[in-house]
Amino acid sequence: MAPVGLLLVGVVTAVAGLLLEAAAPASATLPRVEHPPKAGGTLAVLAVGDWGRRGQFNQTLVAQQMGVVGQKMDIDFVISTGDNIYDDGTAKSLQKPWYLVLGNHDYTGNPLAQLDPAIRNVDSRYTAIAKSFIVNSGIADFFLIDTTPFILHYWNKTKFDWRGVSPRDTYITNQLKDLGYALTESKAAWKIVVGHHPISSGCGHGNNTELEELLLPVLKAHGVDMYVNGHDHCLQRISSRDSHLEFLTSGGGSKAWAGKFKATPDKVEFLYDGQGFMSMRLSKTEAHLAFFDVTGKALHCWGLTKNAAAGR
């Protein structure tokens, strides 16, 4: 197999052009879900990932504490960062829309089934209208991006279902072009991109070469505030050293990877190698975020501010 760098060169060349052409109409605009904030002008969200364990590995405990925190915050919706087989999370406070991206384990089943509108007849919370789409809340735009096709070594495995994705280079180029255009058009105070795989990580998987080379330049060029992911079974907050971008991992929905760490050149602000989830409360000028463990304890809380007129 050719080295990763050689296989990426065609897509990297295309991405360089995307940064200059972002204002041009994309090949297809990303589908959009409108989710206005509550009266009062704030938005409350929970994020969890890698929780498809049918209640095992503390998944049930995570779901119970999400219910408690969700009730206290009166959440608007839940973001799932991928690997989405879920049985728990039936607390009344979690009977809100769940907006989901696909993870690598979702691709080894039937990813198209997870996008079938018929699923909402079984569970009306389940909202995955496309492999990539936007949740617009006025205060924040959430750009849910399909990262599994970026990962080269998955394409050598026959268990992955690439219907609607192949050829890879075309799919990735179009997705990045659509994302760049949507970010350019966004008027939201906060721009938050959600994908399954980490870009920068101090946990078991570590940094992802393909996303560093292809996705990260688009995020930085368009002033994205946060990149939220799963895949690494931990909770972590990492600050970029050359932009205001924060990398936030919420992949502790069930089985955790205690003791598995990797180096990253970015600044690790917080890392917990156990189970849990993340919360965020957003206004036009402030963001208050926290990581919680399976007992409901707030492990790490922090805030971000933004000038409503000029951005951060």
Side-chain angles (χ1 to χ4, degrees):
M1 185 178 75
V4 169
L6 292 178
L7 290 171
L8 287 174
V9 67
V11 181
V12 171
T13 301
V15 171
L18 296 180
L19 300 181
L20 299 175
E21 299 173 4
S27 56
T29 56
L30 293 176
R32 183 180 295 267
V33 175
E34 299 293 338
H35 195 125
K38 297 184 294 289
T42 64
L43 183 76
V45 178
L46 299 182
V48 66
D50 299 270
W51 57 303
R53 301 283 179 173
R54 299 185 179 274
Q56 299 178 354
F57 300 100
N58 285 342
Q59 179 191 15
T60 300
L61 295 179
V62 172
Q64 289 172 347
Q65 293 305 322
M66 286 179 65
V68 172
V69 173
Q71 182 177 19
K72 291 179 180 178
M73 295 182 64
D74 187 21
I75 61 169
D76 293 273
F77 55 85
V78 180
I79 292 288
S80 175
T81 59
D83 293 350
N84 297 314
I85 304 169
Y86 60 96
D87 296 324
D88 295 284
T90 56
K92 184 178 180 180
S93 64
L94 301 182
Q95 302 302 311
K96 303 290 177 69
W98 286 59
Y99 299 116
L100 307 105
V101 294
L102 299 179
N104 53 298
H105 290 290
D106 300 313
Y107 260 96
T108 60
N110 184 349
L112 297 183
Q114 292 203 37
L115 306 179
D116 192 327
I119 289 181
R120 292 179 59 80
N121 296 328
V122 178
D123 192 332
S124 60
R125 297 171 299 167
Y126 191 103
T127 306
I129 62 171
K131 289 181 178 178
S132 296
F133 63 101
I134 303 168
V135 179
N136 175 258
S137 70
I139 294 170
D141 279 345
F142 293 80
F143 303 84
L144 283 75
I145 299 301
D146 184 22
T147 61
T148 298
F150 284 78
I151 314 305
L152 274 170
H153 72 86
Y154 292 158
W155 288 80
N156 296 325
K157 300 178 180 180
T158 58
K159 64 182 180 180
F160 284 82
D161 184 346
W162 298 121
R163 287 177 296 165
V165 175
S166 183
R168 173 182 176 272
D169 286 2
T170 300
Y171 182 82
I172 292 173
T173 299
N174 286 340
Q175 184 174 201
L176 292 174
K177 187 175 182 180
D178 295 342
L179 174 61
Y181 179 69
L183 287 168
T184 299
E185 293 294 298
S186 174
K187 300 299 188 292
W190 301 94
K191 298 178 183 180
I192 302 170
V193 175
V194 181
H196 179 62
H197 296 82
I199 297 175
S200 181
S201 174
C203 291
H205 284 301
N207 291 16
N208 183 279
T209 301
E210 293 92 334
L211 296 183
E212 283 183 308
E213 294 191 19
L214 301 175
L215 179 59
L216 182 57
V218 178
L219 305 189
K220 289 183 176 180
H222 293 89
V224 170
D225 300 286
M226 308 173 210
Y227 177 75
V228 182
N229 63 271
H231 196 54
D232 265 332
H233 295 190
C234 64
L235 306 174
Q236 65 180 332
R237 173 193 172 202
I238 294 176
S239 296
S240 169
R241 293 193 182 275
D242 61 3
S243 74
H244 72 254
L245 178 62
E246 296 222 341
F247 303 101
L248 308 176
T249 297
S250 185
S254 57
K255 188 175 183 179
W257 292 340
K260 294 185 178 181
F261 305 110
K262 292 285 181 66
T264 177
D266 296 300
K267 184 180 180 182
V268 178
E269 307 278 4
F270 170 80
L271 194 159
Y272 174 63
D273 57 343
Q275 294 113 332
F277 58 97
M278 184 177 74
S279 72
M280 59 177 71
R281 185 181 295 279
L282 307 171
S283 71
K284 289 185 177 180
T285 57
E286 296 182 350
H288 299 278
L289 303 100
F291 287 117
F292 295 86
D293 68 9
V294 296
T295 70
K297 178 182 177 181
L299 301 172
H300 179 62
C301 304
W302 73 104
L304 304 172
T305 59
K306 183 181 287 285
N307 183 305
R312 197 183 315 160

